[in-house]
Every structure is written in C-alpha cells, then in structure tokens.
Amino acid sequence: MLSAASRPYIDASVPVLRDHGLAITRHFYASMFEAHPELRDLFNMGNQASGAQQQSLASAVFAYAANIDNAAALAPVMERIVHKHVSVGITPAHYPIVGRHLLAAIKDVLGDAATPELIAAWDEAYWLLAGELIAAEARLSERTHAPLGALRELVVTDVDRETEHIVSYYLQTPEGTSPGEFVPGQYVSVAVTLPDGLRQRRQYSLSDAPGASHWRITVKREDASNGKPAGQVSNWLHANLKAGDRVQVSPPYGEFTTTLDAEHPLVLLSAGVGITPMMSMLATLAANGSRREIVFAHAARNAAHVALRRQWLHAGTQLPHLRVATFFETPLADEREGTDYTFAGRMDVSRLALPDGADYLLCGPTPFMQTQWRALRDLGVPAERIHREVFGPEALDLG
C-alpha cells in the first residue's frame, strides 16, 4: 500500500501526467534504448516507430496514478500485462533498468516541478507496481512450467493462404505431435531474427481447438498505411516461412478466455483477423458437442477478406444453436445481402437478436472494440459481461 507521505504527490501527478505523459514516455524510451540497446529485442520496434507504444505507456502511467487505490479496476489490466511480459521475456532484472530511466524521464521533462518529494513518491509507487508484477509473473511461470520468456523449436507442417493478406501456419513438435494443451483464446509469441539482426517477438492467437494434432496461428500481413510502418515480423513470416521450416515459439499465454462449458449464452463479436481466437473457441465448442446458444458475428470488408471461413462453417454444422451474422463494409459487386453476407455496412449489434444473460467477447481493431463496447453498454449489457482481446499496445482502459 502506498504510504501516507507519498499519496498526495501521486494524486497531484494525475493532471500533470495527463498533460506531459507522452513527452515523459518518449524521453524514457529514447534514453533507455541508448543506454541498453539490447532491450530493443524485447520491444515491438514497429510500435516504437509509430509512437503507439509511447502513447500506450503514457496512458498506462496516468491510469495507474488515477486508480492506485482501486485494485478491482487495475486487476484485469494487470493480468493482461503479466501474460504479455512473460510471453516476451521480461524478467526481474529488467525492472530496475525501467524504473531508473522512467524516474529520470519524469525529472527531466518536469524540471523544477519534479521535486525530490515527488520523485520519491513515484519511486515508491513504481516499486509497489513492479513488486506485484514480478510476483505475478513468477506465479504464471510456475503454472506453465516454463522459464520466463521460454521458447522452443516447432516445425511448420503446412501453410494455408486464407486471403491475400492472411496466412495460417500449422505447427507441430519435431516428433510430429501437438505442441500441447492451451485454453481457447490464448496466444503464443513467435520469435524471428530480421535481416538487420534485430530479434523480435510478436503474439498471435491460436486459431484452432486445443485437441487438434497441431497448433495453428493465423497471421495478417500488416502493410504500411496512414503513417504507420509495415509490420516487420508479419511481412517476414509471409515472405519466408514455409512448410518444413522451424520457428521459435513460446508457451501459450493470455487471459482472453471464457468458460466454454457454461450453459448461459455466448456472443462472439470480431472484425478482420480478430476472428482467430473466436475460431479457437468455436472449434472447441464444436468438438465438445456443445448445445449452448451462441451468436457469432464477424465484420470484414467483403468475402475476400474473411479468414478461416470454411472452418467456422464446419463448426456450425456441429453446433445446433449457433447463429452467424456477417457484416461486409464494402461488398463485392456480385455479393448479395442476405445471401452472401447478412448485413451491409459496419457491424451494428442492434441488428442482432442478442440473447439475455450472455457473455460477450470482442476481438478486432481497437476502434471496432470501442464501438461495440459502447453499443453493448447502450443496450444495457453489464460491463462485467464484456471481455476483449487487444492486439498491440493500448491505453490502460479501465472502463
């Protein structure tokens, strides 16, 4: 618990961080990477280049300060961070480095306003957070029976082009068996060495049922757009990874899961490549012979951009109470509403017959999830029944 002496300084920091948080995090990353270039391997340098990581950290620090006494609000976000840290290889040895450079950045950016008392308060707050994360990451490592950041070599047994921009990779052990169990909705980290020598990890949801003889990841190639650089790892995978190759993969992580053996209804809302964890859940429910009421709604530009279509159509033949709806934003000229897709335009949950008492899972681009979250809340869905998966960095959203 934060000391009484430090609390007023943290409380007073909230408006300051709202105004100066991005400048602090930009300074933090620049100074840390200059002093420790080896840490570039632990961070998504594409997100660094776009500024997304700096904005995410600024929002996270601000939200942590604003909710430092609200453990219930912080807990789910902390769990998400723990899984991500373990998957990318954060260890206790990294925390002193981060703390030192973060406090120095606060002091440098705020100047005279960063009094010794303020810096001392943030030092205390940082180590309270770090201690909780270190302990939680150790517990997760014990549960998965794998060291922090562990990787193992898997074999690519098949490559399936889903769309022009999306490819599925099937993975097995060198002995030709399944790499192991996981919980539907979880992801793995894939590590590659890029042509410039930079070692990078990216997280991809497992897109098949855990009972299969393989793991499957379904990867969208991220092209450069709107000032955002092209995805380094996704482009490398699409250009280089082929059947017979070996790749370094982490154990499964992630808390975007749900109780699949429950009896109450389940609503899955996805867009684009956000279909991947949903497909894992649908395939698992189908394999288990579930009779649960399920609504699966997916948004895409048109049929040419829908991945894993034959897999979810097959799952539908085994799920008697599954209802499917597709929203095509710009249907192709020969596609007909009500036949080739359900609705034209962006997803509008008010057009779905939503069951009472359902759990809702959202996955897709952040604007999509924000829109669906607001729409569901407007329809009276309790916040605690809405869960989401996040691709890439995101502000610490506690709502």
Side-chain angles (χ1 to χ4, degrees), residues 81-90 133 136-138 140-141 144 146-150 187 189 201 250-251 253:
I81 292 170
V82 165
H83 280 262
K84 183 68 175 287
H85 279 187
V86 174
S87 77
V88 301
I90 299 293
L133 290 173
E137 288 154 16
L140 180 57
S141 178
T144 56
L148 297 172
Y187 58 79
S189 281
R201 299 191 191 203
S250 78
Y253 295 108

Side-chain angles (χ1 to χ4, degrees), residues 2-319:
L2 191 69
S3 69
S6 294
R7 190 174 306 279
Y9 293 98
I10 299 300
D11 291 343
S13 298
V14 172
V16 176
L17 292 172
R18 183 187 293 112
D19 295 335
H20 300 285
L22 186 55
I24 291 169
T25 56
R26 284 174 175 165
H27 186 76
F28 156 72
Y29 280 118
S31 65
M32 184 175 69
F33 288 146
E34 182 178 3
H36 296 276
E38 73 279 4
L39 294 184
R40 292 176 181 269
D41 288 354
L42 294 177
F43 290 84
N44 183 323
M45 298 312 294
N47 289 331
Q48 288 288 322
S50 70
Q53 189 69 62
Q54 295 90 327
Q55 182 63 63
S56 176
L57 179 60
S59 298
V61 173
F62 164 75
Y64 175 62
N67 293 273
I68 198 164
D69 290 325
N70 189 352
L74 291 173
V77 184
M78 291 275 287
E79 185 71 5
R80 184 187 306 162
I81 292 170
V82 165
H83 280 262
K84 183 68 175 287
H85 279 187
V86 174
S87 77
V88 301
I90 299 293
T91 71
H94 294 122
Y95 282 91
I97 298 171
V98 170
R100 182 168 63 252
H101 286 277
L102 182 59
L103 292 174
I106 293 173
K107 188 172 183 179
D108 290 346
V109 170
L110 297 186
D112 292 341
T115 63
E117 293 81 7
L118 179 70
I119 296 300
W122 267 104
D123 183 63
E124 180 184 344
Y126 172 79
W127 280 108
L128 282 173
L129 175 62
E132 292 182 26
L133 290 173
I134 289 169
E137 288 154 16
R139 292 192 296 270
L140 180 57
S141 178
E142 289 180 6
R143 292 200 303 272
T144 56
H145 306 290
L148 297 172
L151 295 168
R152 60 171 167 162
E153 192 173 72
L154 297 180
V155 178
V156 180
T157 58
D158 196 13
V159 178
D160 188 5
R161 179 162 292 281
E162 304 281 350
T163 72
E164 180 184 356
H165 294 89
I166 300 175
V167 171
S168 286
Y169 299 96
Y170 292 75
L171 308 173
Q172 288 186 324
T173 68
E175 294 74 32
T177 62
S178 168
E181 290 298 311
F182 61 91
V183 180
Q186 289 190 308
Y187 58 79
V188 293
S189 281
V190 176
V192 303
T193 300
L194 300 170
D196 61 2
L198 185 66
R199 180 79 164 168
Q200 291 278 273
R201 299 191 191 203
R202 294 294 184 273
Q203 290 70 49
Y204 300 107
S205 295
L206 292 158
S207 60
D208 208 345
S213 62
H214 56 262
W215 283 356
R216 182 177 65 204
I217 57 172
T218 302
V219 179
K220 179 185 178 185
R221 187 185 75 232
E222 297 291 348
D223 296 331
S225 64
N226 300 321
K228 181 181 178 181
Q232 293 174 296
V233 175
S234 65
N235 276 270
W236 187 94
L237 292 173
H238 275 236
N240 295 282
L241 199 61
K242 59 186 183 301
D245 288 347
R246 300 196 173 201
V247 64
Q248 297 291 312
V249 181
S250 78
Y253 295 108
E255 34 54 68
F256 181 67
T257 60
T258 188
T259 304
L260 296 182
D261 60 357
E263 295 184 358
H264 55 264
L266 180 65
V267 178
L268 308 176
L269 306 177
S270 60
V273 78
I275 195 174
T276 52
M278 309 308 196
M279 189 61 244
S280 179
M281 295 178 192
L282 280 177
T284 303
L285 288 161
N288 293 344
S290 175
R291 300 188 63 81
R292 189 174 181 181
E293 183 180 2
I294 306 165
V295 176
F296 170 56
H298 182 66
R301 190 174 304 171
N302 48 53
H305 294 264
V306 177
L308 303 168
R309 187 181 184 105
R310 68 179 183 275
Q311 287 88 346
W312 57 257
L313 288 174
H314 175 70
T317 66
Q318 302 172 286
L319 293 167

